[in-house]
Amino acid sequence: MHGALPPPRTPLDPAFLERLRERFGRDLHQSASMLHQHGANEAHFDVVLPDAVVFARSTEDVVDLVKLCVAAGVPIVPFGAGTSIEGNAVPVRGGVSVNLGEMNQIVAVSPEDFDCTVQAGCRREQLNEHLRDTGLFFPIDPGANATIGGMASTRASGTNAVRYGTMREAVLSLKVVTPDGKVITTARRARKSAAGYDLTRLYVGSEGTLGIITEVTLRLHPIPETISAAVCGFETLEGAVTTVVQSIQSGVPLARVEILDDMQIRAVNAWSKLALPEVTTLFFEFHGSPGSVAEQVEIVGMLAAENGGGEFAWSNLPEERAKLWKARHEAYYAAVALRPGAVGWATDVCVPISRLPECITETKRDLAAASLPATILGHVGDGNFHVIFAMDPDSAEEQAEVQAINARLVARALAMDGTCTGEHGIGLGKQDWLVEELGDAVDVMRVLKRALDPRDLFNPGKIFAL
Amino acid sequence: MHGALPPPRTPLDPAFLERLRERFGRDLHQSASMLHQHGANEAHFDVVLPDAVVFARSTEDVVDLVKLCVAAGVPIVPFGAGTSIEGNAVPVRGGVSVNLGEMNQIVAVSPEDFDCTVQAGCRREQLNEHLRDTGLFFPIDPGANATIGGMASTRASGTNAVRYGTMREAVLSLKVVTPDGKVITTARRARKSAAGYDLTRLYVGSEGTLGIITEVTLRLHPIPETISAAVCGFETLEGAVTTVVQSIQSGVPLARVEILDDMQIRAVNAWSKLALPEVTTLFFEFHGSPGSVAEQVEIVGMLAAENGGGEFAWSNLPEERAKLWKARHEAYYAAVALRPGAVGWATDVCVPISRLPECITETKRDLAAASLPATILGHVGDGNFHVIFAMDPDSAEEQAEVQAINARLVARALAMDGTCTGEHGIGLGKQDWLVEELGDAVDVMRVLKRALDPRDLFNPGKIFAL
């Protein structure tokens, strides 16, 4: 299920380690706790330790590390905040984990151009904190306080994507250390360009397999004059999804629209001390001028009423809104907490929005028959949703059951012309499905990988078996 | 200036031609007029004839043609509507031009999913005609009635890009015939995906050098409830640009905002029988609900007034609006017509919007000192503008002068962290500049090209010298 098994490991050559120590001194780590931190993951994948960890403090550090690793034939795996959930940063073939978390400088902000450049280890919350006085913000919000480099590497998106796009749209340019140790800049700072192959988009979502991103130039957006948030419960799941489809069709520029099933609402109520009716619920956010927001709200309210929605419960004060979205962001932990002692097992798919009601309904039927608790929540405006299982970590039967349900979920999404992952990436967990999804196109990816990383040293074992 | 010179041509092997004739029958052409049509271009590049033209009627036709050409080592160059302006489709090394214009079917429209799939030869106007009853439209509008495949291949954009993005954002998925004759689909129809390398974006903008696009799945948008258009003259160019920057900063979702300099307005007045004041002018279009459009108009009107703008002249009736945008679309022909007997020579650059006033002002100074007429017009919301020269086709001096001005223009844009082409592509005309712009990143492009097309048979000689 989880891609090719790692080949037998050989210990690092002491001479190589000595060169690392000479070059990186106290930024080279081999303590058990440090190795464990970089070999673990927030999901259910086995811990695989790197042989060493190096903290990079500059692009030059990364260049030198790349050259040393490539010369010695040692794998090199970039590590940001460790919040990915398909095992994307697990060093399955050992080698060096390069931690970019200290490269967290905000290099430049150009408010007039609506862009900024940050080092790869900058976290998204840190960036928005920094931007506050400029009147601009960086909208991509995957929930976790991930690094911008990690978000670029996994093509992250999240709750705002229906309005502001994903990392695919947000990244203007990247600074990348290539496998041959060169530093390239993939694009200039112009908002658009027709100059050659789109290397920016090639590296966005490549999960560290083609080189190491050290800087990211991002598009920013003006903080809306008015932000209004609401929740609305629905009689049926179809009614909730239809409301969203019709809203988009009416041209309403929804900023956020999240679906939480009854089970997820139950979990959120318990975890975040809320008292929402335990039915399928939409969380909305509207951005715009006061007039535009009022208009959006009117249209969506009318459509919700026509589709079996209840009253809108409004959160117009920043504190109330923050509470609502905090509850949404903690939905993963809330779902896991449904069952004491459980670990989380999360998956995501994305389908054309017309197929979403059917996809979610069939999935819900599967979950209802399962022996363990599971919730559904998702970015309904994009056709993207998650299933979170609260799994007994010691039960092989439950693991097999979850894998079977996940396999049916992905097969269902693919049959609907959807994708096996809307925003988590392939990592270790979705490799077989990628081939099912894209067939011969995966061979083209392999050709690109072999051309750019002929010795397979950059995050080897991820996305596809070579 | 125009990339590598073609190597000496050898005539096609008669046995190869015989195989083409067997397979394609009356879709194989070698008449002088047909060869000339596929060897010419809308710009100033020398005509280079292909050895043969094949009209493809299906993806299977393209597969068979690719296999025949690759087996014989014959170049293959895709041809759509022939409206590109950097010589992108000129078969500089001969071989077979494959005309995709007959592959113009609209394969599927999914109104609920806001997407459609078309064959590569479908034209954008044909698509919008077809979509009219669905309430949706395809916004990308480069002016010319180009094919969707050609627009994808050159990463086209145009007047609506400030609101709706470019072909980079518009394309959901591609069907591509690869150099080894396989048919791949680069993505599923889900609106977003984190599944592996972004092959869709790799092929968008690759100008036929990595394979041949035969189908395109596109994102569509709801036709706005209200569309309102206006023109506004400004005392200064800076005032016009500042109005746009401040509008965007205020969160106004401008649908179109085009700048035309005084010379371009003079040309448009003469060509389209208008009577606009001959000053720097902005053409606006606002999309949204009636309330939202009214609000946008109020904000932009206020900002224009603060920045030396005159009264807004409104075109709210569809006929008036169509007349206004027809004038804008014909600006190229209008500029060329400034001088009887002239040919057009167009270039484009794109810079961070904060640098746009300076970039345009310096360029205007250059044009004022030139010995031939030239106009400026552009997509000011993106920082992208064009210069159009009305050049004497028989004057080597003028050609040299235009090239020198263009060289200064591109150098200026690059010095401002801009790009040598916002939307025309590299083709033949911008190859030296691509290297200047992206340095070692172009080597990465070469690695990709060699990996996917090792014999350099797909639109050879374009984008970069191998």
Side-chain angles (χ1 to χ4, degrees):
Chain A
M1 269 311 291
H2 296 157
L5 283 175
R9 303 254 303 257
T10 47
L12 287 188
D13 177 2
F16 168 71
L17 263 177
E18 190 45 41
R19 282 193 294 276
L20 280 190
R21 194 167 292 115
E22 273 169 23
R23 172 62 180 81
F24 294 103
R26 291 172 59 185
D27 285 327
L28 171 69
H29 299 267
Q30 288 194 290
S31 72
S33 66
M34 196 60 98
L35 296 183
H36 189 272
Q37 185 200 326
H38 291 79
N41 61 93
E42 285 216 350
H44 57 281
F45 297 95
D46 292 342
V47 176
V48 184
L49 301 184
D51 294 295
V53 173
V54 169
F55 279 70
R57 294 176 187 280
S58 65
T59 296
E60 293 65 41
D61 278 358
V62 176
V63 168
D64 288 350
L65 182 60
V66 162
K67 286 180 176 168
L68 286 169
C69 285
V70 170
V74 172
I76 180 166
V77 181
F79 185 98
T83 53
S84 62
I85 44 186
E86 288 292 356
N88 317 64
V90 178
V92 286
R93 299 197 188 152
V96 177
S97 279
V98 50
N99 187 313
L100 297 149
E102 300 297 311
M103 289 182 64
N104 62 359
Q105 299 299 302
I106 292 162
V107 178
V109 178
S110 175
E112 223 182 7
D113 295 321
F114 313 99
D115 68 41
C116 68
T117 298
V118 303
Q119 289 185 314
C122 174
R123 305 253 188 151
R124 65 172 187 86
E125 289 180 4
Q126 172 197 352
L127 175 58
N128 274 324
E129 198 70 39
H130 182 94
L131 291 173
R132 193 166 290 171
D133 295 338
T134 63
L136 300 174
F137 78 119
F138 170 63
I140 317 289
D141 173 6
N145 189 15
T147 63
I148 301 295
M151 289 170 63
S153 292
T154 53
R155 205 180 296 127
S157 45
T159 55
N160 278 310
V162 62
R163 169 78 168 259
Y164 298 98
T166 72
M167 286 302 277
R168 187 175 74 194
E169 287 78 31
V171 177
L172 269 178
S173 172
L174 296 168
K175 186 177 279 186
V176 177
V177 179
T178 63
D180 53 0
K182 284 189 182 164
V183 179
I184 62 166
T185 300
T186 58
R188 296 298 189 100
R189 209 158 52 78
R191 285 168 79 85
K192 66 182 198 184
S193 173
Y197 302 160
D198 191 346
L199 298 182
T200 309
R201 252 50 59 180
L202 179 65
Y203 277 99
V204 169
S206 66
E207 303 191 20
T209 63
L210 302 177
I212 296 178
I213 295 169
T214 62
E215 272 185 28
V216 187
T217 299
L218 295 165
R219 288 180 74 149
L220 303 174
H221 293 264
I223 296 174
E225 196 185 348
T226 305
I227 300 178
S228 196
V231 295
C232 178
F234 282 79
E235 288 166 15
T236 64
L237 190 138
E238 286 79 0
V241 178
T242 304
T243 300
V244 175
V245 174
Q246 291 178 346
S247 299
I248 294 174
Q249 198 123 33
S250 306
V252 177
L254 294 166
R256 286 171 157 165
V257 56
E258 300 283 303
I259 198 165
L260 292 82
D261 76 348
D262 50 349
M263 187 72 118
Q264 183 65 59
I265 292 289
R266 191 180 313 168
V268 162
N269 276 344
W271 180 265
S272 299
K273 314 275 180 283
L274 299 176
L276 298 167
E278 294 183 356
V279 295
T280 304
T281 300
L282 293 177
F283 281 33
F284 288 101
E285 196 166 274
F286 304 95
H287 291 180
S289 65
S292 155
V293 166
E295 206 167 48
Q296 293 175 47
V297 162
E298 193 191 324
I299 296 170
V300 175
M302 198 183 67
L303 293 171
E306 283 173 10
N307 287 295
E311 284 295 300
F312 275 52
W314 291 99
S315 304
N316 289 327
L317 298 174
E319 312 82 82
E320 282 176 19
R321 226 174 44 232
K323 190 177 171 198
L324 183 68
W325 287 108
K326 186 161 179 288
R328 166 62 189 87
H329 280 151
E330 292 177 355
Y332 177 73
Y333 305 105
V336 179
L338 279 171
R339 184 182 184 190
V343 295
W345 204 105
T347 184
D348 87 307
V349 296
C350 186
V351 296
I353 199 170
S354 65
R355 308 301 299 273
L356 191 61
E358 188 185 348
C359 193
I360 295 188
T361 305
E362 287 181 18
T363 305
K364 204 155 167 51
R365 202 172 302 140
D366 242 11
L367 300 185
S371 72
L372 70 170
T375 68
I376 288 176
L377 77 165
H379 315 307
V380 65
D382 300 314
N384 179 211
F385 70 96
H386 306 259
V387 175
I388 303 167
F389 297 92
M391 185 174 75
D392 175 352
D394 300 321
S395 164
E397 290 77 17
E398 278 198 13
Q399 180 134 354
E401 184 182 354
V402 167
Q403 283 180 351
I405 295 174
N406 184 39
R408 284 196 296 277
L409 168 61
V410 175
R412 185 178 301 130
L414 294 182
M416 293 174 174
D417 213 358
T419 176
C420 67
T421 177
E423 55 181 19
H424 293 172
I426 297 296
L428 295 169
K430 294 277 176 77
Q431 298 195 4
D432 293 344
W433 296 112
L434 175 65
V435 175
E436 191 106 353
E437 177 172 333
L438 294 179
D440 286 345
V442 181
D443 291 333
V444 174
M445 297 182 197
R446 288 191 181 98
V447 169
L448 302 177
K449 166 74 173 175
R450 282 192 203 104
L452 291 175
D453 176 25
R455 297 175 66 190
D456 193 20
L457 296 175
F458 285 73
N459 203 5
K462 301 301 166 59
I463 304 184
F464 39 67
L466 263 186
Chain B
M1 269 311 291
H2 296 159
L5 284 175
R9 303 256 301 258
T10 47
L12 287 187
D13 177 1
F16 168 72
L17 264 177
E18 190 44 42
R19 281 193 294 276
L20 281 190
R21 194 166 294 117
E22 273 169 23
R23 172 61 180 80
F24 294 102
R26 291 171 59 183
D27 285 327
L28 171 69
H29 300 267
Q30 290 195 288
S31 71
S33 66
M34 196 60 98
L35 296 182
H36 189 272
Q37 184 200 325
H38 291 79
N41 60 94
E42 285 216 348
H44 57 280
F45 297 95
D46 292 342
V47 176
V48 185
L49 300 184
D51 295 296
V53 173
V54 170
F55 280 71
R57 296 178 185 278
S58 65
T59 297
E60 293 64 41
D61 278 359
V62 176
V63 169
D64 288 350
L65 182 60
V66 161
K67 286 180 176 168
L68 287 170
C69 285
V70 169
V74 172
I76 180 166
V77 181
F79 186 97
T83 53
S84 63
I85 45 186
E86 288 293 356
N88 317 64
V90 178
V92 287
R93 299 198 188 151
V96 177
S97 280
V98 50
N99 187 312
L100 297 150
E102 300 298 311
M103 289 182 64
N104 62 359
Q105 299 301 302
I106 291 162
V107 179
V109 178
S110 175
E112 223 182 7
D113 295 321
F114 313 99
D115 67 41
C116 70
T117 298
V118 303
Q119 289 185 316
C122 173
R123 305 253 188 151
R124 67 173 186 84
E125 289 181 4
Q126 173 196 351
L127 175 58
N128 275 324
E129 198 69 37
H130 182 93
L131 290 173
R132 192 165 288 170
D133 295 337
T134 64
L136 300 174
F137 78 119
F138 170 63
I140 317 290
D141 172 6
N145 189 16
T147 63
I148 301 295
M151 289 171 63
S153 292
T154 54
R155 205 179 297 127
S157 45
T159 55
N160 278 311
V162 61
R163 168 78 168 260
Y164 298 97
T166 72
M167 286 301 277
R168 188 174 73 196
E169 287 78 30
V171 177
L172 269 178
S173 172
L174 296 168
K175 186 178 280 187
V176 177
V177 179
T178 64
D180 53 1
K182 284 188 182 164
V183 179
I184 62 167
T185 300
T186 58
R188 296 297 188 101
R189 210 159 51 78
R191 285 168 80 84
K192 65 181 197 184
S193 173
Y197 303 160
D198 191 346
L199 298 182
T200 309
R201 252 50 60 180
L202 179 65
Y203 277 98
V204 169
S206 65
E207 302 190 21
T209 63
L210 301 177
I212 296 177
I213 295 169
T214 62
E215 272 185 28
V216 187
T217 300
L218 295 165
R219 288 179 74 148
L220 302 173
H221 294 264
I223 295 173
E225 197 186 348
T226 304
I227 301 178
S228 197
V231 295
C232 179
F234 283 79
E235 289 165 14
T236 64
L237 190 138
E238 286 80 358
V241 178
T242 304
T243 300
V244 176
V245 174
Q246 291 177 348
S247 299
I248 294 174
Q249 199 123 32
S250 307
V252 178
L254 294 166
R256 286 171 156 164
V257 55
E258 299 283 303
I259 197 165
L260 292 82
D261 76 350
D262 51 347
M263 187 70 121
Q264 183 65 60
I265 292 290
R266 191 179 315 166
V268 162
N269 277 344
W271 181 265
S272 298
K273 314 276 179 284
L274 298 176
L276 298 166
E278 293 183 356
V279 296
T280 304
T281 301
L282 293 177
F283 281 33
F284 287 101
E285 196 165 275
F286 304 95
H287 292 180
S289 64
S292 155
V293 165
E295 205 169 49
Q296 294 175 47
V297 163
E298 192 191 325
I299 296 170
V300 175
M302 198 183 67
L303 294 170
E306 284 173 10
N307 288 294
E311 284 296 299
F312 275 52
W314 291 98
S315 304
N316 289 327
L317 297 175
E319 313 82 83
E320 282 176 19
R321 227 174 43 232
K323 190 177 173 196
L324 184 68
W325 287 107
K326 185 162 181 288
R328 165 62 190 85
H329 280 150
E330 293 178 355
Y332 177 75
Y333 305 105
V336 179
L338 280 171
R339 185 183 185 190
V343 297
W345 204 106
T347 183
D348 87 306
V349 297
C350 186
V351 296
I353 199 169
S354 66
R355 308 301 300 273
L356 191 62
E358 187 184 351
C359 194
I360 294 188
T361 306
E362 287 181 18
T363 304
K364 206 157 167 49
R365 203 173 300 141
D366 242 13
L367 300 184
S371 71
L372 71 169
T375 68
I376 288 176
L377 78 164
H379 316 306
V380 64
D382 299 314
N384 179 210
F385 70 96
H386 306 258
V387 176
I388 304 167
F389 298 91
M391 186 174 76
D392 175 353
D394 300 322
S395 164
E397 291 77 17
E398 279 197 13
Q399 179 134 355
E401 183 182 353
V402 167
Q403 283 179 352
I405 296 174
N406 184 40
R408 284 196 296 278
L409 168 61
V410 175
R412 184 178 300 128
L414 294 183
M416 294 174 174
D417 213 357
T419 176
C420 66
T421 176
E423 55 180 21
H424 293 171
I426 297 295
L428 295 169
K430 295 277 175 76
Q431 297 195 4
D432 294 345
W433 296 113
L434 175 65
V435 175
E436 192 106 354
E437 177 172 332
L438 294 179
D440 286 345
V442 182
D443 291 334
V444 174
M445 296 182 198
R446 288 191 182 97
V447 169
L448 301 178
K449 165 74 171 172
R450 283 194 204 103
L452 291 175
D453 177 24
R455 298 176 67 190
D456 192 19
L457 296 176
F458 285 73
N459 202 5
K462 301 301 166 59
I463 303 185
F464 39 67
L466 262 186

